[in-house]
């Protein structure tokens, strides 16, 4: 997952989800629930988990509930952590599967329908816009809001693939491990999702 | 990660992809992050309410009255069993239900004829959609002849539909879990355990496209292949070997539209 766009690496305000991978030594201590190791794991992955939940559920409160649920489960299962592997895919899988369960509930779908993806747009941080003129910044934010909402309107399987591939930086191969379909099927679904997004988005944006 | 450089994207799709990848990161509330960090490090999450219960609490008072009314109405009317209902009809012409022609514009007339095991002969100028509660949605496409499942035995919840001609689109819902749908054509059988598919019965062949999930498709029980999303299996009446190939663009679009139309069918 090393090729995420820069804006997904570190927002500079404490939501750091990047840096060097956690060492095996740290992961061994996570298994023992060592407080410092747990803190390192949290700092390393919190932002990606929160952002994945937010993009999939489309609403801040739901994303917070989901992030808490994920970390609760991780804490309970810490002794099962595979210290030879990057825990990132495991955490993404837990988050994606819990979001899918939520989607399948009536309330989950309701949230997707009614929420704007940027329900607190002032908190959306895009480092690439740092030097943009105010008007351009407003236009960019409006474009991002429409695009985020359009992703939220995709059928759930398509939404999941787009978010994992383009916003979480996962390959089709990695996504297939999460959704349980062949990589070729994931690739096709991703292609269909782009077509669908072009239909959903206003002409100027599509 | 080289696979992220998707090949074969059109310039428009490439621009769209770049726009998605450029979406800004969403920052969490500092207070939330710090509280959760402390909980994770200490292992003390306090009284964590399961996600579903949290949702339920928020919705409880608003939903209580309407839910109770809906449950009572459901129990009184249907004695707990979901029933087939007509959801929509588009187009013109005469739709024949169990041998009785009804104009496509007569929604109420058509609705009254819907019953388990009913046979629908739809002209080339019309389409209709039927729903079985939260179990499944059927889309009967133009120029089709389809018999919907008869009432199932509670001890053996297998729904059996027949496609005599034309195209049937199927999307299963959350209440489908633990049940099975068997679709028969003259060329073969399709067994579903939860998916979105199209069954296209043409002259001398049956083509089954799988949009989501997997379906077991074959000429008979011994010939069943598991066909996964993005593929279709074509079975021939003349004994030619069946083939499994990529889903056809036209069918894929029909299915994607059907899937999108029914995205909220089970809410």
């Amino acid at each position: 997952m090393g090729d995420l766009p820069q804006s997904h690496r570190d927002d500079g305000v404490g939501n750091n989800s990047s840096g060097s991978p956690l060492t095996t030594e740290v992961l061994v201590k996570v298994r023992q629930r060592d407080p410092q190791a747990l803190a390192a794991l949290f700092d390393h992955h919190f932002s990606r988990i929160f952002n994945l939940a937010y993009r999939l559920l489309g609403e801040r409160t739901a994303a917070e509930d989901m992030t808490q649920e994920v970390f609760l489960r991780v804490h309970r299962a810490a002794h099962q952590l595979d210290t030879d592997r990057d825990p990132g895919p495991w955490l993404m899988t837990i988050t994606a599967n819990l979001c899918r369960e939520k989607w399948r509930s009536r309330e989950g779908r309701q949230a997707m329908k009614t929420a704007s993806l940027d329900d607190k747009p002032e908190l959306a941080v895009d480092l690439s816009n740092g030097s943009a003129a105010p008007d351009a910044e407003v236009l960019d934010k409006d474009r991002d809001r429409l695009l985020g909402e359009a992703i939220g309107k995709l059928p759930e399987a398509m939404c999941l693939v787009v978010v994992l591939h383009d916003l979480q930086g996962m390959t089709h191969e990695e996504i297939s491990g999460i959704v349980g379909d062949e990589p070729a099927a994931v690739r096709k679904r991703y292609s269909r999702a782009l077509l669908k997004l072009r239909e959903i988005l206003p002409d100027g944006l599509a | 990660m080289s696979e992220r450089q998707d090949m074969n994207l059109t310039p428009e799709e490439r621009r769209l992809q770049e726009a998605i990848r450029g979406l800004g990161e969403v920052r969490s509330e500092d207070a939330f992050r710090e509280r959760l960090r402390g909980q994770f490090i200490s292992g003390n999450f306090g009284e964590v309410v399961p996600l579903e219960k949290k949702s339920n609490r928020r919705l409880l008072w608003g939903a209580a009255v309407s839910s109770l009314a809906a449950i009572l109405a459901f129990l009184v009317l249907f004695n707990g069993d979901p029933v087939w209902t007509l959801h929509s009809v588009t187009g013109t012409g005469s739709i024949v239900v169990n041998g009785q022609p009804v104009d496509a514009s007569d929604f109420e007339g058509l609705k009254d004829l819907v019953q388990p095991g009913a046979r629908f002969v739809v002209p080339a100028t019309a389409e209709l959609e039927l729903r079985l509660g939260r179990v499944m949605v059927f889309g009967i496409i133009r120029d089709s002849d389809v018999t919907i499942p008869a009432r199932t035995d509670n001890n053996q919840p297998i729904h059996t539909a027949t496609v005599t001609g034309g195209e049937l689109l199927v999307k299963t819902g959350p209440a489908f879990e633990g049940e099975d749908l068997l679709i028969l054509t003259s060329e073969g059988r399709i067994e579903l355990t939860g998916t979105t598919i199209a069954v296209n019965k043409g002259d001398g062949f049956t083509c089954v496209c799988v949009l989501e999930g997997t379906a077991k498709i074959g000429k008979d029980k011994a010939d069943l292949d598991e066909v996964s999303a993005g593929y279709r299996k074509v079975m021939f009446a003349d004994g030619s070997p069946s083939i499994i190939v990529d889903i056809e663009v036209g069918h894929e679009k029909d299915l994607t539209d059907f899937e999108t139309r029914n995205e909220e069918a089970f809410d």
Side-chain angles (χ1 to χ4, degrees), chain B residues 49-139:
Chain B
V49 182
L51 285 174
E52 286 308 309
K53 288 189 178 171
K54 280 183 184 176
S55 306
N56 289 346
R57 278 184 188 175
R58 288 190 194 113
L59 294 171
L60 190 61
W61 291 109
V65 174
S66 56
S67 296
L68 186 59
I71 290 166
L72 285 173
F74 186 76
L75 290 175
V76 168
L77 287 173
F78 307 131
N79 197 26
D81 291 332
V83 295
W84 283 100
T85 53
L86 183 64
H87 175 66
S88 65
V89 183
T90 55
T92 57
S94 183
I95 295 173
V96 181
V97 187
N98 283 338
Q100 187 174 335
V102 183
D103 195 88
S105 63
D106 183 5
F107 187 85
E108 292 302 318
L110 283 165
K111 194 172 146 189
D112 290 344
L113 293 174
V114 175
Q115 57 179 296
R119 180 175 180 178
F120 293 82
V121 180
V122 179
T125 49
E127 294 182 4
L128 59 85
E129 285 184 6
L130 299 152
R131 292 180 180 178
L132 180 64
R134 288 163 56 80
V135 180
M136 66 183 96
V137 182
F138 272 18

Side-chain angles (χ1 to χ4, degrees), chain A residues 9 15-22 38-49 71 86-88 91, chain B residues 33:
Chain A
R9 289 185 178 278
N15 276 329
N16 186 358
S17 61
S18 66
S20 307
L22 296 176
L38 289 173
L41 182 76
F42 183 92
D43 292 342
H44 202 82
H45 293 286
F46 169 81
S47 187
R48 285 193 72 195
I49 290 172
F71 277 104
D86 172 14
L91 297 170
Chain B
R33 183 181 186 282

Side-chain angles (χ1 to χ4, degrees), chain B residues 223-238:
Chain B
D223 177 49
L224 291 176
D225 285 313
E226 283 217 354
V227 179
S228 56
Y231 293 92
R232 63 185 167 124
K233 180 168 181 177
V234 189
M235 297 169 287
F236 301 96
D238 65 3

Side-chain angles (χ1 to χ4, degrees), chain A residues 150-203:
Chain A
I151 293 169
K153 285 177 185 167
L154 287 171
E156 63 179 52
M158 290 186 184
C159 176
L160 184 60
V161 170
V162 167
V163 170
L164 290 175
H165 187 56
D166 285 338
L167 293 173
Q168 295 289 325
M170 299 181 77
T171 65
H172 297 306
E173 188 81 35
E174 290 168 330
I175 296 168
S176 77
I178 291 178
V179 301
D181 286 327
E182 293 295 318
V186 171
R187 198 174 294 114
K188 281 173 179 292
R189 193 173 303 152
Y190 174 74
S191 179
R192 289 202 307 271
L194 289 185
L195 283 173
K196 193 75 203 164
L197 274 175
R198 283 172 57 193
E199 287 175 25
I200 295 172
L201 283 165
D203 285 345

Side-chain angles (χ1 to χ4, degrees), chain B residues 164-175:
Chain B
T164 308
E167 188 172 356
L168 169 67
L169 307 177
V170 180
K171 175 182 169 70
T172 57

Side-chain angles (χ1 to χ4, degrees), chain A residues 22-23 25-44 75, chain B residues 37-38 40-42:
Chain A
L22 296 176
T23 62
E25 189 186 358
V26 171
L27 294 178
V28 168
K29 287 183 177 174
V30 168
R31 283 179 65 118
Q32 298 160 352
R33 297 190 178 84
D34 173 86
Q36 277 191 327
L38 289 173
L41 182 76
F42 183 92
D43 292 342
H44 202 82
H75 195 279
Chain B
R37 189 175 190 272
F40 185 63
I41 293 169
S42 68

